[in-house]
Every structure is written in C-alpha cells, then in structure tokens.
Amino acid sequence: MSDLKSIVISAINDLERANFSWWSHEKAQLLLEKLQNVQSRELNNRQSLRHLSASMVVRKQDKMVFIEHPYLHQTLLPAGHVEPGEIPIETAVRELMEETGLAVAGDNHTQLIDINIISIPANPIKGEGPHEHIDLRYRVSEVNQTHQTPELPVSWLTYAEAPVEFQPYFGDELGYDRNY
C-alpha cells in the first residue's frame, strides 16, 4: 500500500510547479500545515477529523459533469472518500463511474489539477462528526457512458450554470477550448 501522506505532499509539490491560476503558494502552505500532524493511516479513515477524498473534472464541449450531493444538497464534482488500499486517482475514477455511470476512456490521460480543503458538517445519520476532506481533483479528457445506472442525479452544466468554485476549470489552462 502506498504512503498516502507522501502521495499528497508530492501532489502539492507538483501543483506548485504547474502554475494554475487557482493555485497559490499560500494554499500549498496551508495544505502542508493541515497534513503536519496527520498520520498517513488516518488519511483513508472516515472516522479521522481530516481525511482524503478525490474528485473528477469531466468536460465535453461547453459543459462539465456535476452531481447533486444527497446530504450536503449541493452541486458538486463526482467525488468520494479514498478507501483503504486505494490511491486518490483510483478513487476519482471509481467515484466517477459509481456516481455518474461514466468511465475513463481506455488509457486516457488523467491530470491532477487542484487540491482543496472542504469542511464537512456533522452527519448524525452516519454517526460522523464535523470533519475536513483534503480533496484531490483530477481532470480527464475523454469518458464513455457505461451501462451502470448512476447513483446520484447527474447534470451537465455550462460555465454560467456551474457553481463559482468550479468555473475556473472550464478555462484554457486545462487544455479545453473556450466554447462558452
């Protein structure tokens, strides 16, 4: 099993070199501070106060895929918890298929594009207290529709319809054409 903390620190360093407009040195420092007192084994333990999630950005023409989160009641990227034995990119690919019925096409190239900290409120139904997700966000350029029924409501939204947080991912920096 891979050391998750090392994977995240390496990802932060990679993003420092990537020069995305939404990334900053301050964001990198905050993430490193958040990771400082976290053990690698806590990062895929849903009971820990801070653990990993991973999400996928999928865009076709001028639209991006989103799900409606059943508990948070928000429009979000397809995402989920990094499970034991998984690395974040595997989580993002799995959650994309489970939540939307879309699969990464063949040997399609995925790219880490961002890492965010997300505050999650308590969920008494699941017995979870408030916690934070360190969400690794990947993009993929091509997907295929599977025969799997999506677990969640799926929407293809334009730049103007998308939540503001995700609008930068529509831009040229990810190799997408601006068609909006």
Side-chain angles (χ1 to χ4, degrees):
M1 183 165 123
S2 300
D3 176 29
L4 290 174
K5 189 171 180 177
S6 295
I7 289 171
V8 177
I9 291 170
S10 177
I12 292 167
N13 291 330
D14 289 346
L15 286 168
E16 282 282 82
R17 293 186 291 277
N19 200 29
F20 291 123
S21 61
W22 53 80
W23 187 261
S24 68
H25 183 69
E26 293 75 23
K27 186 176 187 176
Q29 292 305 306
L30 176 62
L31 284 160
L32 291 170
E33 287 172 21
K34 296 274 187 179
L35 286 167
Q36 194 168 12
N37 296 318
V38 176
Q39 299 296 315
S40 188
R41 68 180 177 277
E42 295 174 79
L43 292 174
N44 63 0
N45 178 349
R46 289 181 180 211
Q47 300 306 312
S48 68
L49 295 177
R50 186 170 295 125
H51 49 272
L52 298 181
S53 61
S55 52
M56 188 70 79
V57 172
V58 177
R59 182 162 165 221
K60 282 190 178 181
Q61 295 152 359
D62 66 339
K63 294 186 177 183
M64 190 177 296
V65 72
F66 292 95
I67 56 93
E68 292 302 317
H69 194 282
Y71 176 68
L72 298 175
H73 304 290
Q74 294 178 342
T75 300
L76 299 171
L77 297 171
H81 294 95
V82 175
E83 300 293 342
E86 280 184 330
I87 58 173
I89 185 60
E90 293 168 340
T91 301
V93 169
R94 175 181 54 78
E95 291 289 347
L96 176 68
M97 184 178 297
E98 289 175 2
E99 293 184 353
T100 69
L102 297 172
V104 172
D107 293 332
N108 202 315
H109 176 71
T110 56
Q111 174 189 13
L112 178 71
I113 61 164
D114 204 358
I115 305 174
N116 280 350
I117 299 167
I118 303 167
S119 294
I120 307 296
N123 184 341
I125 295 168
K126 288 187 173 182
E128 295 176 347
H131 59 280
E132 288 182 326
H133 287 180
I134 298 173
D135 187 51
L136 286 83
R137 295 181 175 171
Y138 298 87
R139 79 171 279 278
V140 63
S141 55
E142 191 176 340
V143 293
N144 294 321
Q145 185 67 50
T146 67
H147 295 293
Q148 182 169 326
T149 302
E151 290 179 348
L152 300 174
V154 176
S155 301
W156 286 89
L157 303 178
T158 65
Y159 173 88
E161 297 166 327
V164 171
E165 174 186 0
F166 305 115
Q167 288 178 347
Y169 303 154
F170 278 84
D172 297 334
E173 291 175 86
L174 297 182
Y176 296 125
D177 295 326
R178 285 191 185 258
N179 296 335
Y180 51 91

